[in-house]
Amino acid sequence: MNLSIGIVGLPNVGKSTLFNALLKKQIANVANYPFCTIEPNVGVVEVPDDRLPVLAKIVNTEKIVPAVVEFYDIAGLVRGASQGEGLGNKFLSHIREVAAIVHVVRLFADGNVAHVSSKIDPQTDIQTVETELILADLETITKSKIKDQRSKLQSKDQKEISDLVDKIGKGLNKGIPARHINLTDEEKVIVKQLNLLTIKPVIYAFNVSDDQLNQPEETKKKIKQTTSLYLNAKLENEVLALSPTEQKTYLNQYQLTDTGLNRLIQKSYSVLDLISFLTAGVKEVRAWTIKRGMLAPQAAGVIHSDFEKHFIKADVIPFPQFVEVNGWLKARELGKVQSVGRDYVIKDGEVVEFKIGAT
């Protein structure tokens, strides 16, 4: 399961600078991990996970395969994108392909970098983008209604979709994104068929100046969004040229414990309710991304589709215990490994070995 994130924002907010930092991170790791740029506007970056090298040392393998995130640098948005202004149609179509949105918002002031509205007003900028997405969704809703009207006979499923379309349409017309409309679990499943833009989770990444980075409390007061973080896109480019030790020293100057890129990846996992389980063998050590609450057979299916169908059981052990006993052999001797069946929920950080029947 690959995590795909679309980076969006108005022109001149630092979106491309942030994406360039992601590409540098990708290139910096290319010697160790088999990642590559799929397209000029797509960067594939590993999910930071300090557990993997520890496991690799225990099982004596040199091959480490982290979970990855695909970041899409989506064309800058301008007012009227929903009507095709600028690269509007291309922008909106790309957003439909991603699992979540990182909305880069400009908080820094710089006379050498023009702002599209000639003033720094993050909340208005956020509303501009949100409005265009809502308008695009309203167009999707309208097309869905027209399709329903052309159909004289409606099945039960079509009736449910039609009722849901009306419910969401009312919310959108009030300026409420689909993700903030109160939906039942059943409605959340149905709404996926509409492929709405405003149903996607959003992380607000506020691009700040050096001075704002040095004044975290004052900066936080300017940020009203709950699912957010702040970073300095220019700094992110600079810090990647340093060694790990130098990075920590550099970040300490700004009272930061990790880079903005790593925090962004971690936040993305959180908003999408994702976790990682680990596999550790002589061939490779690997992190696998799954939805929180996934059962063992489904998790096995992430490795290979046939594994879910032919699942027998799974041996699981928490990462700290695996490290403490130094691997599978001692873990089994000491009874630390739990053999689980089809109804077991895989937990974050568990080291797992699946037992699969003949395929």
Side-chain angles (χ1 to χ4, degrees):
M1 178 186 293
N2 282 346
L3 172 58
S4 57
I5 304 291
I7 303 176
V8 307
L10 295 173
N12 296 338
V13 297
K15 183 171 61 70
S16 294
T17 304
L18 176 61
F19 184 73
N20 288 339
L22 287 163
L23 286 183
K24 282 185 180 179
K25 184 176 179 67
Q26 172 193 44
I27 292 167
N29 291 324
V30 77
N32 295 319
Y33 309 117
F35 303 140
C36 63
T37 302
I38 300 171
E39 296 177 19
N41 66 327
V42 182
V44 183
V45 182
E46 84 276 6
V47 176
D49 196 332
D50 294 336
R51 299 170 298 196
L52 296 179
V54 176
L55 290 179
K57 187 174 181 180
I58 291 173
V59 300
N60 194 27
T61 183
E62 294 183 359
K63 186 176 181 181
I64 296 176
V65 185
V68 298
V69 181
E70 294 178 353
F71 281 97
Y72 288 70
D73 184 19
I74 295 171
L77 181 70
V78 295
R79 193 181 301 276
S82 58
Q83 303 301 317
E85 291 295 326
L87 293 175
N89 291 331
K90 184 177 181 180
F91 170 91
L92 298 173
S93 66
H94 282 170
I95 295 179
R96 295 188 195 281
E97 304 303 317
V98 300
I101 296 169
V102 171
H103 183 174
V104 181
V105 184
R106 179 172 169 177
L107 211 61
F108 69 91
D110 187 337
N112 296 318
V113 182
H115 189 284
V116 290
S117 301
S118 302
K119 63 177 180 178
I120 305 300
D121 188 347
Q123 301 310 318
T124 297
D125 292 352
I126 288 171
Q127 193 57 53
T128 296
V129 173
E130 194 74 83
T131 297
E132 295 304 324
L133 300 185
I134 287 175
L135 290 172
D137 278 352
L138 280 170
E139 183 178 352
T140 299
I141 293 289
T142 300
K143 289 179 180 177
S144 178
K145 286 183 177 180
I146 292 172
K147 185 178 179 181
D148 284 344
Q149 289 168 359
R150 288 175 179 170
S151 177
K152 294 180 180 180
L153 297 175
Q154 284 192 341
S155 67
K156 181 182 177 183
D157 288 346
Q158 288 174 321
K159 179 67 166 59
E160 289 177 343
I161 294 173
S162 180
D163 291 343
L164 181 57
V165 163
D166 288 338
K167 178 178 179 178
I168 293 175
K170 289 177 182 177
L172 292 172
N173 275 309
K174 293 178 181 178
I176 303 172
R179 66 183 173 277
H180 292 154
I181 296 172
N182 189 24
L183 302 176
T184 65
D185 290 341
E186 185 179 358
E187 287 173 332
K188 289 177 182 177
V189 173
I190 296 172
V191 78
K192 290 180 181 179
Q193 300 178 46
L194 299 173
N195 201 16
L196 299 176
L197 301 174
T198 63
I199 200 70
K200 298 180 186 294
V202 177
I203 302 167
Y204 296 94
F206 289 86
N207 192 9
V208 302
S209 65
D210 289 355
D211 289 340
Q212 289 168 328
L213 205 59
N214 271 318
Q215 301 174 36
E217 295 307 316
E218 287 299 315
T219 300
K220 288 175 185 176
K221 290 178 182 178
K222 298 178 182 179
I223 299 172
K224 298 178 182 179
Q225 281 62 35
T226 52
T227 308
S228 63
L229 73 160
Y230 64 89
L231 49 79
N232 182 308
K234 183 171 175 288
L235 171 65
E236 295 299 320
N237 277 276
E238 294 172 352
V239 76
L240 289 173
L242 306 175
S243 69
T245 301
E246 291 172 328
Q247 284 186 20
K248 288 182 180 179
T249 302
Y250 194 34
L251 292 171
N252 283 339
Q253 298 177 34
Y254 299 98
Q255 303 174 48
L256 297 172
T257 57
D258 206 348
T259 66
L261 301 183
N262 286 350
R263 288 184 284 121
L264 180 56
I265 292 171
Q266 291 158 5
K267 182 76 73 173
S268 301
Y269 257 59
S270 177
V271 300
L272 289 170
D273 207 19
L274 300 174
I275 62 171
S276 292
F277 73 87
L278 313 169
T279 54
V282 177
K283 288 186 177 180
E284 68 177 26
V285 161
R286 187 164 186 157
W288 303 87
T289 302
I290 61 172
K291 274 280 189 182
R292 188 181 304 278
M294 186 172 281
L295 298 177
Q298 296 170 311
V302 172
I303 297 177
H304 193 288
S305 56
D306 286 343
F307 286 9
E308 180 175 0
K309 181 179 179 181
H310 299 282
F311 174 89
I312 298 175
K313 67 174 184 175
D315 287 350
V316 301
I317 178 173
F319 169 77
Q321 289 187 24
F322 189 87
V323 174
E324 183 183 349
V325 299
N326 203 39
W328 285 113
L329 182 61
K330 199 69 174 178
R332 290 191 169 98
E333 287 178 359
L334 297 174
K336 299 289 186 180
V337 178
Q338 183 182 4
S339 289
V340 300
R342 290 183 168 274
D343 59 349
Y344 183 78
V345 176
I346 298 293
K347 300 176 183 63
D348 184 53
E350 285 184 323
V351 185
V352 184
E353 189 175 89
F354 294 104
K355 306 297 181 181
I356 308 299
T359 56

